Amino acid sequence: MKMTLQLRNIALIAIILIAFGFKAMGVGVTLTSPNGGQIYATGSTHNIIWTDGTGAVTIELWDYSGVPAMEYSIGTTLTSPHPWTIPATASGSNYRVKIIDEGDLSEDVSVADFRITQPVVLTSPNGGQIYATGSTHDITWTDGTSNATIELWDYSGAPAMEYSIGTALTSPYSWTIPATASGSNYRIKIIDEGDLSEDVSVADFRITQPVVLTSPNGGQIYATGSTHNI
């Protein structure tokens, strides 16, 4: 009986020591974002978020586009959430974040790849154009993820007026100038639907009502040498 009690006490002590040991070590760090599927534009800022661990961590960016994979340091002694500005040199579809707890050395990696893009850049119209209503012109842009939302902005008054041109559009987009538009202070705004980067015309362009000939318009009889208004 005495031996049984002693063994039971030893077992209890062992369980307590193990429990204290796990408490001291903490639960391994767990990365919650980015965990795959995100699309980030270079220059934009997003939070890297994690839970558990002992506190400060080291964060690495891994690019799995090639073999071997490339590792880039994001920083050390960081705490959650860490605002991360995407570097201008990054671009590709096979990125993951790796996080290493500096206390218990536990680590975690993004579950799946995320994508880094170059932000969308509007190339036309970029200012100085004169478009007649009813005419058709290309709106063009580069980079981003392809699909974009396009808006027409009229800065003639305050506040500026915004009109939707369309969504899920690809470059070049053939745009027919609406009959209701007329003025000198128009710009195009383009918003990438994947990485949410955006760009706006550098300067204003003009929209005019097309010229309409009123006279002569047919049926007139003019003598040579006479003068008539056009």
Side-chain angles (χ1 to χ4, degrees), residues 75-98:
T76 60
T77 320
L78 304 176
T79 56
S80 181
H82 172 66
W84 173 44
T85 300
I86 314 301
T89 52
S91 186
S93 299
N94 303 106
Y95 287 96
R96 298 193 186 196
V97 160
K98 181 178 182 180

Side-chain angles (χ1 to χ4, degrees), residues 130-175:
I130 302 175
Y131 296 151
T133 61
S135 64
T136 300
H137 305 271
D138 281 344
I139 299 174
T140 59
W141 62 95
T142 60
D143 299 320
T145 62
S146 184
N147 286 354
T149 292
I150 305 179
E151 300 169 347
L152 174 65
W153 282 79
D154 179 3
Y155 290 91
S156 301
M161 299 295 292
E162 175 264 320
Y163 306 92
S164 173
I165 291 177
T167 60
L169 305 177
T170 56
S171 181
Y173 172 70
S174 183
W175 175 43

Side-chain angles (χ1 to χ4, degrees), residues 152-210:
L152 174 65
W153 282 79
D154 179 3
Y155 290 91
S156 301
M161 299 295 292
E162 175 264 320
Y163 306 92
S164 173
I165 291 177
T167 60
L169 305 177
T170 56
S171 181
Y173 172 70
S174 183
W175 175 43
T176 300
I177 313 302
T180 54
S182 184
S184 301
N185 303 104
Y186 287 97
R187 298 193 186 196
I188 289 292
K189 181 177 183 179
I190 190 162
I191 306 160
D192 189 273
E193 294 176 7
D195 62 24
L196 302 183
S197 60
E198 57 186 56
D199 197 18
V200 180
S201 304
V202 174
D204 294 343
F205 60 89
R206 182 179 175 188
I207 297 177
T208 65
Q209 295 296 315

Side-chain angles (χ1 to χ4, degrees), residues 95-109:
Y95 287 96
R96 298 193 186 196
V97 160
K98 181 178 182 180
I99 196 163
I100 305 160
D101 189 276
E102 295 175 6
D104 61 19
L105 300 184
S106 62
E107 58 186 54
D108 197 16
V109 180

Side-chain angles (χ1 to χ4, degrees), residues 37-67:
Q38 293 86 354
I39 303 175
Y40 295 151
T42 60
S44 62
T45 300
H46 304 271
N47 282 333
I48 299 175
I49 306 170
W50 61 96
T51 60
D52 303 321
T54 63
V57 302
T58 293
I59 306 180
E60 300 168 348
L61 174 66
W62 282 80
D63 180 2
Y64 290 92
S65 301
V67 181

